Amino acid sequence: MAVFFHNGRTLAYQSDFAPFSHDLLLLHSSNFKPEFWRPVLEVFAAQPSASGRVVTCEWFEAGRDIEMMAGDLSGLVRTLGLHSLHVVACGDAVEVVTAMTRLHAEIFSKTLLFPQNVPRGEDLERAIRDFVQI
């Protein structure tokens, strides 16, 4: 994983090529690790790459409020130059996306939010494939 520094905080992130032309940010619940997205990333890796990127990261830090974490993620998005950004957020990551939208409404082109009852396995893969239109 690569590392991004912002406001005295370190965010570990991974960026992979995507089989679509927009960028995609995948934010798992703080109860999970980035490996949560492994099945979805494997589906993407099995297809020919296009000009987009898929980014996963360790966005959560205990003791940091939602606005601060939203600012950290906004900094990551801007630094990486993510464009036509789509985001999938699960659980408490939905609150961070909502705060990011308040700070910078222009950041996201499209969102898929699962505040509760996050699908798993094939259901999650299917939902994301439909969302990114592959």
Side-chain angles (χ1 to χ4, degrees), residues 1-130:
M1 289 195 127
V3 177
F4 171 71
F5 296 100
H6 185 261
N7 288 335
R9 178 167 178 222
T10 302
L11 264 89
Y13 72 92
Q14 180 176 331
S15 179
D16 297 295
F17 292 112
F20 34 79
S21 60
H22 58 272
D23 292 328
L24 175 65
L25 178 63
L26 299 173
L27 299 175
H28 54 282
S29 167
S30 64
N31 297 329
F32 300 115
K33 295 290 180 196
E35 290 78 26
F36 174 81
W37 299 112
R38 186 176 317 233
V40 173
L41 296 174
E42 288 172 356
V43 168
F44 293 160
Q47 299 186 29
S49 295
S51 60
R53 293 170 286 175
V54 179
V55 176
T56 58
C57 69
E58 288 282 357
W59 63 270
F60 181 78
E61 184 176 309
R64 216 160 166 86
D65 68 31
I66 296 295
E67 297 296 322
M68 293 172 82
M69 289 186 282
D72 297 339
L73 277 173
S74 295
L76 175 66
V77 165
R78 291 180 188 285
T79 299
L80 294 179
L82 300 178
H83 69 282
S84 301
L85 185 59
H86 292 43
V87 65
V88 177
C90 301
D92 50 356
V94 170
E95 293 178 59
V96 175
V97 169
T98 302
M100 288 175 74
T101 303
R102 276 194 309 269
L103 292 171
H104 306 284
E106 74 285 356
I107 282 184
F108 303 120
S109 296
K110 198 172 174 185
T111 58
L112 177 60
L113 307 174
F114 297 106
Q116 298 177 349
N117 303 321
V118 178
R120 298 287 184 103
E122 289 182 18
D123 291 335
L124 180 62
E125 291 171 32
R126 186 178 318 105
I128 294 176
R129 278 195 318 268
D130 290 346

